[in-house]
Amino acid sequence: MSNNDFLPEGGREVNNYMKFEEGDNKFRILSPAIGGYLYWNEDKDGNRKPIRKHLNDDLVLSEIQEPEKVKKFWAFIVWNYKEEAIQILEITQKVIKQSIQGFISNKKFGSPVDKYDVIVNRKGTGLASKYIVQADPPDTSDKKVKEALKLKPIRLEALFEGTDPFMVTKDTMNENVDPDSVPV
């Protein structure tokens, strides 16, 4: 009996956040991006916690343990082709953000929200990582992407509140993307 025969459909554990692995990382952006500042602070128990602030928020340097490590970030909902899952992708790497901005300004591509796939090729690890970013020609999403998005509502603004974006209630229903508006 294989693992696929044992686990129920969708029973495989998948991380809610996409991370760039060595090699090609292909994804489809499914929501507009949110952006802001990201830094990490250590709590009294020694646990590191991410802190995110909107770009128009004042940063209080005395509250930031490592001010030299504050980064600007983008976060958005994606379909990760390798995992075949809806995830959040948070990007701080300038070369990746600049490449996506280049696709957006190209009339043949435009907004990436469910219009084309992005492939980020990562070589190396840590600070020695190098990235090459490509876009596939525009096309429509597979129906399974739209269905998966309906089953996994996400509220990106929760990242700024320090709460779980995947704990969505009817009151906080997905404000970032309407699954019915995703073309198939």
Side-chain angles (χ1 to χ4, degrees):
M1 176 186 268
S2 72
N3 286 344
N4 292 341
D5 294 336
F6 172 73
L7 294 175
E9 185 75 24
R12 183 175 61 94
E13 286 291 320
V14 175
N15 191 329
N16 283 329
Y17 295 86
M18 182 176 181
K19 300 286 183 210
F20 293 126
E21 298 174 358
E22 186 88 19
D24 285 345
N25 298 270
K26 183 176 179 179
F27 56 93
R28 170 71 59 120
I29 298 173
L30 299 174
S31 73
I34 61 168
Y37 295 104
L38 169 68
Y39 58 93
W40 292 75
N41 278 347
E42 195 172 292
D43 67 15
K44 63 181 180 333
D45 298 324
N47 301 312
R48 289 179 47 85
K49 304 272 186 197
I51 311 293
R52 295 174 187 88
K53 301 284 186 182
H54 290 94
L55 288 172
N56 58 354
D57 288 348
D58 290 331
L59 293 179
V60 181
L61 292 178
S62 62
E63 295 175 0
I64 303 171
Q65 294 170 352
E66 298 174 294
E68 70 282 0
K69 292 187 178 179
V70 174
K71 296 181 177 184
K72 287 185 177 179
F73 78 93
W74 291 350
F76 38 84
I77 301 168
V78 298
W79 173 257
N80 178 340
Y81 283 94
K82 181 179 180 188
E83 295 293 333
E84 292 192 358
I86 299 293
Q87 296 177 313
I88 292 175
L89 178 57
E90 189 170 64
I91 297 175
T92 57
Q93 300 89 343
K94 287 180 185 176
V95 68
I96 299 172
K97 292 190 291 184
Q98 289 170 341
S99 296
I100 292 173
Q101 285 176 321
F103 303 145
I104 292 168
S105 64
N106 182 328
K107 291 179 185 175
K108 292 182 180 180
F109 284 92
S111 170
V113 179
D114 199 43
K115 298 231 173 91
Y116 50 89
D117 298 326
V118 177
I119 303 161
V120 175
N121 181 282
R122 176 181 170 191
K123 290 187 189 322
T125 59
L127 295 176
S129 294
K130 301 288 184 208
Y131 301 94
I132 298 171
V133 185
Q134 300 175 331
D136 276 347
D139 69 356
T140 57
S141 294
D142 190 305
K143 284 184 181 182
K144 74 179 175 183
V145 173
K146 185 175 179 177
E147 288 304 313
L149 190 58
K150 281 184 179 181
L151 295 173
K152 193 167 190 173
I154 299 170
R155 194 174 76 81
L156 288 174
E157 280 295 316
L159 292 172
F160 291 114
E161 300 160 4
T163 59
D164 187 350
F166 297 92
M167 298 298 289
V168 178
T169 65
K170 285 188 181 206
D171 294 337
T172 61
M173 198 51 131
N174 197 336
E175 64 207 27
N176 301 106
V177 64
D178 174 10
D180 293 324
S181 70
V182 176
V184 257

